[in-house]
Amino acid sequence: MKLPNLLDAKIRNRSKVEYLEAEVLKDGSLFKGKRYFLKTYGCQMNVHDSELIRNLVESIGFIESETMEGADLVILNTCAIRENAHDKMYGFLGRCKHEKTKNRNLIICICGCMAQEPSVCEEILEKYKYVDIVFGTHNIHELPNLLLNRMNKTDIEVESIEGNVYENLDYKRDSSIEAWVNIMYGCDKFCTYCIVPYTRGKQRSRKSSRILQEIKELKDRGYKEITLLGQNVNAYGKDLEGELSFSDLLLKVSDIGIERIRFVTSHPWDFSDEMIEAIASRDNIMPYIHLPLQSGSSRILKLMGRRYTKEEYLALYDKIKTRIPDAAITTDIIVGFPGETEEDFQETLEVVKKCKYDSAFTFVFSPRVGTPAEKLPDETTLKEKEDRLHRLNEVVNALSLETNEKYVGKTVKVLINGQSDKGENKVCGYTESMKLVNVVGAEDSIGKIIEVEITEAKSFSLNGVKK
Ligand code: SF4
C-alpha cells in the first residue's frame, strides 16, 4: 500500500536526526526523572513491542507512571485488528487532550498498527493537532530521536511498508520467567479481511543465528519459557534463501534446553508434517497449537482468501491429533463475514463440535478500511451476526468446560508465574497445554515448574493444589 502524498512529503522533509544521537541521549540526563505512561492495545506482537518501547524510553531517563495524570509523556500503542480499535484510540485521545490542557508540555505519541495506516495518520495530522509524534511499527527504535527532535511540532515517522528487520534491540520484559521472541515480522498471506500485511508489512524473517543467540541469552538469564512470535510463524524462513524451515528452527531452539517452548500464530496452510513431528518428538516443545479456523464453510474460506478448505483443515486437525493425542488446540473464528449464510454458519458449528477446541477467540466480522473484504456486499444484519456469535460462544464455552473437566483429579505440571487474582493465598500459572491454573499451597513456587493436582474445572481456568 502506498503512503499518501502528505506522508511521503513529511518523511522526505523531516529533519535529519542523526546529530541527535549524541551524548544527550546516551547519558540519559535529558529526560531524567520525567514520567511516561504507556497504554497498549491488541495482540502479543503489540505487547512485545511495548516491552521494547519501555526499554527505549527508560534508557533516556524516563520512569514509568501507573496513570496518565501528571505524566510528561503519553504513548498509545494501537491495534488495528480488534473490534472498536478506532473508537478506543479516539476515546483515549480525548483523555490526552484533557491532560494537555493541564500540562502544555505533555508529549503525546501514537504508535502501533493503527498509526501505520495512512488514513489514520492523515486524520491525526488534520484533526488532532495536539498529538506530537506518530510513529509506525517499523520505526519504534527511532523513538528516542523523535522525542528529542520534537521541537513543538508534530513529527511523523512512518516508514514505507517494506520495512526492515532490526537486530540488537533490548526489551524491558514484563516477566523474568516467560519471554516473547520475535522470529519474523509482517505477513504475506493477504487474507481479504486482514489489515496486518498493510500495517506490519510483508513477511521478514530474522536470521536463525540471531534468534538462537537471543534464546541462549534468555536461558542463561534464567527464563523458563519462551514463545516464538510472529503473525504466521510457520512460514518462517520462506523469505530468506538458505534459512532454516520453521520445524528445523523449533528443533534447534529445543536443543538449547530451555524448559518450555511455545509459538503463535500458525497458519494451517504452512503447517508441515515435519512441524508435527518436531512437536511430538521433543518434551520441551509444548503440546499447544493455535490453529485459526476462521470459518467452517469452504465457500467463505475462499472469500476470506484463507488457502484451505474445510476438508483440508479437518484432515490437518486429525493428523495432529493422531500423532499428538494430548495436544491442546485453540482457534480463531469470525462470524458474519460478508455473504455468510445460516448454512455457512451451521458448517462452522459443525467443525467446532468435531474439533472440540480447548478454547476459541470468536469475533463478529468488522470491516477494515483498505482491505478487499470491506468492499464485499453484506446483507446480514448486525443483529443476526450477534445472534450467531452468541450461539457459537455457547457451544465453544460448553466444549471448553467439557475439556477442562477431564483434568479434574489429574496431576499436571504448572509453571507458576505470579500471584493469582483469585485470592491472596493463591498463585497461578499455565500447564503445558496452556490451561490457566489457580493453585493453593505454592506461595514459594513463583518461577518454578511444580506438580499440581486439579480439583475443579471452570470454562476458562482450573483450580488445584500443589502436590
Ligand atoms: S495469515 Fe493472519 S496475519 Fe496474515 S493476512 Fe491472514 S489473518 Fe492476517
Side-chain angles (χ1 to χ4, degrees), residues 187 189-191 193-194 196-197 231-232 267 294 306:
C187 179
K189 290 287 183 288
F190 287 93
C191 301
Y193 54 84
C194 183
V196 164
Q231 299 293 350
N232 189 8
H267 191 299
Q294 306 305 5
R306 289 292 291 174

Side-chain angles (χ1 to χ4, degrees), residues 1 25 58 125 146 181 201 218 271 298 326 348 371 402 453:
M1 185 162 66
L25 279 180
E58 291 186 18
L125 271 176
L146 289 168
V181 177
L218 289 167
F271 218 104
S298 297
D326 290 335
T348 299
T371 57
E402 200 181 301
E453 185 180 333

Side-chain angles (χ1 to χ4, degrees), residues 210-350:
R210 302 282 197 151
I211 296 167
L212 295 170
Q213 184 58 35
E214 182 177 341
I215 294 169
K216 273 183 201 133
E217 284 166 16
L218 289 167
K219 178 172 185 281
D220 291 346
R221 285 163 56 193
Y223 278 86
K224 294 279 192 302
E225 178 175 305
I226 56 115
T227 301
L228 305 177
L229 193 59
Q231 299 293 350
N232 189 8
V233 282
N234 50 343
Y236 172 80
K238 292 185 178 176
D239 54 311
L240 292 180
E241 208 172 319
E243 190 44 275
L244 298 177
S245 65
F246 182 62
S247 52
D248 287 338
L249 179 71
L250 268 180
L251 293 173
K252 295 251 183 219
V253 173
S254 167
D255 289 342
I256 292 172
I258 203 142
E259 284 174 75
R260 286 182 166 199
I261 300 156
R262 301 187 190 278
F263 53 89
V264 280
T265 290
S266 26
H267 191 299
W269 196 74
D270 289 302
F271 218 104
S272 66
D273 291 354
E274 292 76 19
M275 216 178 131
I276 299 174
E277 225 24 67
I279 301 165
S281 65
R282 298 293 177 102
D283 287 343
N284 61 350
I285 303 178
M286 296 296 99
Y288 164 74
I289 295 165
H290 187 68
L291 196 67
L293 168 68
Q294 306 305 5
S295 170
S297 155
S298 297
R299 192 179 70 81
I300 295 298
L301 287 169
K302 194 163 182 201
L303 286 174
M304 288 176 162
R306 289 292 291 174
R307 307 176 187 213
Y308 52 84
T309 61
K310 169 173 94 174
E311 290 71 26
E312 286 164 344
Y313 181 95
L314 286 172
L316 173 63
Y317 178 92
D318 284 343
K319 209 190 279 184
I320 295 171
K321 278 290 193 182
T322 305
R323 183 69 182 89
I324 320 167
D326 290 335
I329 300 190
T330 59
T331 199
D332 296 329
I333 299 169
I334 298 170
V335 295
F337 188 80
E340 183 192 73
T341 61
E342 178 61 26
E343 289 68 40
D344 293 314
F345 175 66
Q346 287 299 329
E347 287 196 68
T348 299
L349 284 183
E350 199 186 298

